[in-house]
Amino acid sequence: MADIPTSDGSKDLSMYSNGGPETNGSLVVCFGEMLIDFVPSVSGVSLAEAPAFQKAPGGAPANVAVGISRLGGSSAFIGKVGDDDFGHMLADILKKNKVNNSGMRFDQNARTALAFVTLRSDGEREFMFFRNPSADMLLHESELDVNLIKQASIFHYGSISLIEEPCKSAHLAAMAIAKKSGSILSYDVNLRVPLWPSEDAARDGIMSIWDQADVIKVSEDEITFLTRGDDPYDDNVVLNKLFHPNLKLLLVSEGPDGCRYYTQQFKGRVPGVKVKPVDTTGAGDAFVGGILSILASDTNLYKDETRLREALLFANACGALTVTKKGAIPAMPTRDEVQKILKHDR
């Protein structure tokens, strides 16, 4: 579907409600980890108490790629898995979800990463990781699909791929290629403290690439962590400590309460969409997928507050729908489902 220009040269928002933007220049390339989550068959128990586990595909960048595809957008995933049954299963899941997986690599000497995730009685999660080292940490710069990166309207990544070499160097090289090619750089902090050598290492690693991003998504807890205990609700904290001169859009996710947004021109809040939560896994990734699916084909979105607010309400609805089902990838909503809940919510 072609973009629909309006009188002021912007794109008509109605295009987002009927099938979604699908143009050659709107590919979102997601870089990083993909793994297997093992989730207890019953919620509200510790790992030790769980009677059984169900396996589910996981990894924030891969979740975002599927989220975008599910909404009718164009996405690709770049990362490494083991040359094992789980790794090939993950590649197949991406393919079935219409995500370009040609940038995936398979390591013959390391396993696909595993994470045991407990769902507490409030639906929040606790993690235990098995990756020493796992295949995702072993992606080399020489294995990058450079041509795929160069096609990205948006290049999206997290921080887990910055923890260990050689993946860290591959991550930095991929960012440089994307930047040089004119891609928007999108960064979701996705803090996982247990994976870093220390809290200081996590802070330093996460902040080491901060100034390069065009779009950053951060949670309230992550603000508190990165600022060493400052109030995440204080606009001055966010603007003075986290907003940088090259940043186009800073998003603060507030879970069920919605999100805050900060640009060079304006700031504000968009309320959440009310649902009954079952499992919060993947909600942040669905939110990111929702906003990036629109930004990819409307790259000046952050300059128009009305359009940005509409897009963020759409993204909030994506996140809300995801918590109504178990798992991340299976719960990612379609565009029709999002439109339906938005009509109902209003």
Side-chain angles (χ1 to χ4, degrees):
M1 177 178 169
D3 292 342
I4 307 164
T6 55
S7 54
D8 64 354
S10 63
K11 288 159 194 162
D12 182 355
L13 198 67
S14 65
M15 68 181 281
Y16 303 137
S17 58
N18 49 22
E22 183 61 27
T23 58
N24 290 334
S26 61
L27 175 68
V28 181
V29 175
C30 301
F31 176 93
E33 70 282 355
M34 190 174 192
L35 58 146
I36 303 285
D37 285 338
F38 283 93
V39 184
S41 51
V42 293
S43 36
V45 297
S46 69
L47 287 174
E49 293 165 337
F53 294 90
Q54 293 171 316
K55 72 178 191 296
N63 292 344
V64 171
V66 172
I68 290 164
S69 174
R70 193 77 51 86
L71 292 167
S74 175
S75 65
F77 174 75
I78 291 178
K80 201 173 200 185
V81 292
D83 190 6
D84 50 39
D85 284 357
F86 283 154
H88 290 284
M89 180 191 102
L90 293 174
D92 196 45
I93 285 168
L94 290 182
K95 192 175 178 183
K96 281 179 179 157
N97 281 282
K98 299 183 172 60
V99 174
N100 179 338
N101 67 3
S102 62
M104 283 185 85
R105 302 292 178 258
F106 299 85
D107 196 296
Q108 296 186 339
N109 300 312
R111 295 288 191 204
T112 301
L114 309 180
F116 285 78
V117 187
T118 68
L119 294 174
R120 300 200 311 250
S121 49
D122 60 1
E124 283 298 331
R125 298 156 299 155
E126 291 169 3
F127 296 90
M128 185 161 77
F129 295 95
F130 287 75
R131 52 198 305 272
N132 53 342
S134 54
D136 59 289
M137 299 153 70
L138 301 176
L139 181 71
H140 289 262
E141 184 180 339
S142 60
E143 296 175 300
L144 291 173
D145 188 333
V146 174
N147 288 333
L148 185 58
I149 296 168
K150 285 179 176 176
Q151 292 170 42
S153 170
I154 299 173
F155 184 71
H156 175 73
Y157 47 87
S159 66
I160 290 173
S161 41
L162 295 169
I163 298 173
E164 296 274 357
E165 292 291 3
C167 187
K168 179 181 178 181
S169 291
H171 181 146
L172 297 176
M175 279 174 60
I177 294 163
K179 192 81 169 173
K180 197 177 174 186
S181 305
S183 308
I184 291 171
L185 297 191
S186 165
Y187 186 15
D188 179 358
V189 172
N190 194 33
L191 174 67
R192 297 286 181 268
V193 176
L195 295 181
W196 291 86
S198 67
E199 288 195 359
D200 283 343
R203 261 184 223 100
D204 293 347
I206 287 166
M207 297 308 291
S208 69
I209 59 166
W210 199 262
D211 290 353
Q212 296 181 57
D214 300 298
V215 177
I216 294 175
K217 178 249 172 188
V218 65
S219 71
E220 300 153 301
D221 290 346
E222 289 163 349
I223 293 173
T224 303
F225 177 83
L226 293 172
T227 60
R228 297 178 186 270
D230 285 357
D231 180 3
Y233 301 100
D234 185 339
D235 283 348
N236 292 324
V237 168
V238 175
L239 290 168
N240 295 335
K241 294 203 173 181
L242 298 178
F243 203 91
H244 66 77
N246 302 317
L247 195 55
K248 295 181 172 72
L249 177 62
L250 177 63
L251 297 171
V252 179
S253 57
E254 297 184 341
D257 296 325
C259 67
R260 303 202 304 275
Y261 58 88
Y262 301 83
T263 74
Q264 310 223 358
Q265 279 82 36
F266 44 76
K267 63 183 193 294
R269 230 185 126 259
V270 178
V273 175
K274 297 289 173 265
V275 291
K276 187 172 174 6
V278 172
D279 173 12
T280 58
T281 308
D285 302 329
F287 169 82
V288 172
I291 190 64
L292 295 187
S293 71
I294 296 176
L295 183 66
S297 59
D298 187 2
T299 53
N300 288 317
L301 179 70
Y302 62 92
K303 293 178 181 174
D304 182 324
E305 190 167 14
T306 305
R307 274 176 24 235
L308 178 62
R309 289 184 64 87
E310 191 78 19
L312 288 171
L313 184 63
F314 180 90
N316 284 347
C318 292
L321 279 166
T322 303
V323 308
T324 63
K325 298 178 190 170
K326 271 198 170 188
I329 284 177
M332 294 285 165
T334 63
R335 191 163 293 271
D336 285 348
E337 289 170 329
V338 177
Q339 292 304 331
K340 205 167 166 184
I341 197 173
L342 284 174
K343 274 183 192 147
H344 179 70
D345 194 58
R346 285 174 180 176

